Amino acid sequence: MEILINLGYLVAAVLFILGIKGMTTPKTAVRGNQFSASGMLIAVIVALLDHNVVSYEYIIIGVLIGGTIGGIMAKKVAMTDMPEMVAALNGIGGGASLLVAAANYLESQKLAEMGKFVPTYDWSIAVILSILIGAVTLTGSFVAVGKLKGKIGDSNKVKLFKWIVKLCLLTLLAGAGYFAAVDPLHADLLVAGLIVLCLVLGVCLVMPIGGADMPVVVSLLNSYSGLAGAAAGFVLGNNGLIITGSLVGASGIILTSIMCKAMNRSLTNVLFGGSMAATAGVSKSENDAFYEGKVKFSSADELAMLLDGAQKVVFVPGYGLAVAQAQHATRELANMLEANGAEVKYAIHPVAGRMPGHMNVLLAEAEVPYDQLVEMDTINPEFSQTDVAIVLGANDVVNPAASKDPNSPIFGMPILDVHNARTVVVVKRGLSPGFAGIPNELFIRDNSLMVSGDAKKVLQDTISALKDL
Ligand code: NAP
């Protein structure tokens, strides 16, 4: 039976790896998802057969409670709230590892009293790592949720938090070392103290990081939740959990590094007080003063006329496209332009929207052909040969200040060079700033026009106007 169970976990692990491989390109992503889902099904069945792990009654109760909560959450969550949901699920994953390891610790005490368990160094290290990383992930993720929701603002006490973090880390090192080296089964108070310390550490690690850096933090916490899971796997002696936890840990850290690169930041810079950390954005009056009398407003009718004569059009989607749910209208307009003989592409910035791959997911929903989705480095040289670049609810990812203004909170973040297009048409509801809270010089450039309104409505009006031409 044990061989069968381990074989099952191995098959599941191979399917997870094939799943991740499939998800590296949009074309194979659906198949990748199916591989991963089948892997998870096998892992669940194998865990159920592994009767030593837990009794069936608890499994059924767990599935019913977890399935109901998960189902309701998944049904209710708006596409724009996905990053918060991902962050919250990371936190819950970390919390689960913390509880599993803590329960195993208490159970091991009972077994040791009966002479059925002798703690080893491996066991002590796995228990303490699972508890500690799990606790940090739990509170860190919920602070990230608060920041993404805008309920927790950027802190101006960065230095204080950094000191607390250092103090916590030193105490932890000493406490965890003592736990592993001395008598781990009679250290209840120490373990409880370390858990509290790590819960505080999770809060203090994330609090000083600026809201604009949250995507990187969420992806790092995702990696932590994987590591905590892998450690819990060692505690339980469950190979399936060790493999999946390691996969999540490794892929989370790879995604973190890709995102840091996309924002031109180092991980240390993000975590320990980079320039974004202290930004609070500009006030409304400063924002209004920046644009006063300098924006050239246009209309859907004028946009239709401009597009009618265009040979090459690039759509630049951003967070506003998701808010407006304008992906289908975008595709419809693109179809009309193509029928008119124009070449159409979509410029994808790695951190456009509010989660990695946000724009790809939205545009895939509208069945935009994958080969028209062009990544930043490839599309940037093409803007100078583009007749019209239509910026749909994007702001920070097209802000030239990122490359020009060293004092800008987004300085160093690579952007889409839409300003090089012959004409730039910006579609957004007004002059509100984007996520980083700063004005955008693109909107007042000579070659820029703004059509104000909800992106979907403006696109629909443009489609009607094009039909009437
Ligand atoms: P953005 O800078 O946040 O700007 C979005 C713009 O959309 C706003 O200025 C808003 O202006 C407009 N908008 C909102 N609703 C709209 C609607 N219904 N119709 C038309 N426009 C609408 O977005 P972005 O350029 O995509 O940049 C993403 C930012 O989010 C970056 O700073 C990135 O670091 C950060 N971030 C990214 C992720 C990720 O993983 N992708 C996660 C979290 C944060 P109005 O209100 O004036 O319309």
Side-chain angles (χ1 to χ4, degrees), residues 213 259-266 269 275-276 349-351 376 396-397 399-416 438:
D213 284 333
M259 293 183 76
C260 280
K261 241 191 212 162
M263 293 166 136
N264 199 21
R265 317 278 305 278
S266 72
N269 180 255
S275 51
M276 287 250 196
H349 191 284
V351 293
M376 180 171 62
D396 296 343
V397 299
N399 192 338
S403 52
K404 278 180 40 186
D405 178 4
N407 297 320
S408 169
I410 58 167
F411 184 66
M413 172 172 128
I415 55 155
L416 289 162
I438 48 167

Side-chain angles (χ1 to χ4, degrees), residues 81-222:
D81 291 338
M82 280 304 272
E84 285 94 315
M85 172 117 166
V86 173
L89 290 176
N90 287 342
I92 292 169
S97 303
L98 160 68
L99 291 177
V100 166
N104 182 279
Y105 174 72
L106 295 175
E107 178 135 2
S108 303
Q109 286 180 330
K110 278 193 207 150
L111 291 175
E113 269 170 31
M114 292 187 268
K116 291 183 183 165
F117 177 77
V118 180
T120 59
Y121 277 127
D122 297 359
W123 175 84
S124 310
I125 292 169
V127 166
I128 206 71
L129 280 182
S130 187
I131 287 179
L132 302 191
I133 306 175
V136 170
T137 312
L138 177 66
T139 47
S141 298
F142 280 97
V143 173
V145 172
K147 289 213 164 205
L148 286 169
K149 276 195 181 302
K151 297 247 159 75
I152 302 177
D154 287 353
S155 170
N156 48 13
K157 297 199 174 74
V158 175
K159 271 194 183 149
L160 175 71
F161 282 117
K162 276 201 226 169
W163 268 108
I164 302 178
V165 167
K166 279 180 197 157
L167 214 67
C168 283
L169 282 175
L170 274 177
T171 324
L172 266 177
L173 214 63
Y178 181 82
F179 174 81
V182 188
D183 184 2
L185 284 176
H186 296 94
D188 290 9
L189 260 181
L190 177 67
V191 172
L194 289 180
I195 292 176
V196 173
L197 205 65
C198 284
L199 293 173
V200 174
L201 182 62
V203 174
C204 295
L205 266 175
V206 181
M207 273 306 279
I209 303 173
D213 284 333
M214 275 311 115
V216 184
V217 174
V218 170
S219 137
L220 188 69
L221 287 166
N222 180 248

Side-chain angles (χ1 to χ4, degrees), residues 148 212 215 259 263 318-320 323-324 350-356 393-397 413 427-436 453-455:
L148 286 169
M259 293 183 76
M263 293 166 136
Y319 175 62
V323 177
V351 293
R354 291 291 182 270
M355 60 177 181
N395 194 338
D396 296 343
V397 299
M413 172 172 128
V427 179
K428 65 201 286 291
R429 296 166 306 180
L431 291 169
S432 307
F435 193 80
D454 173 75

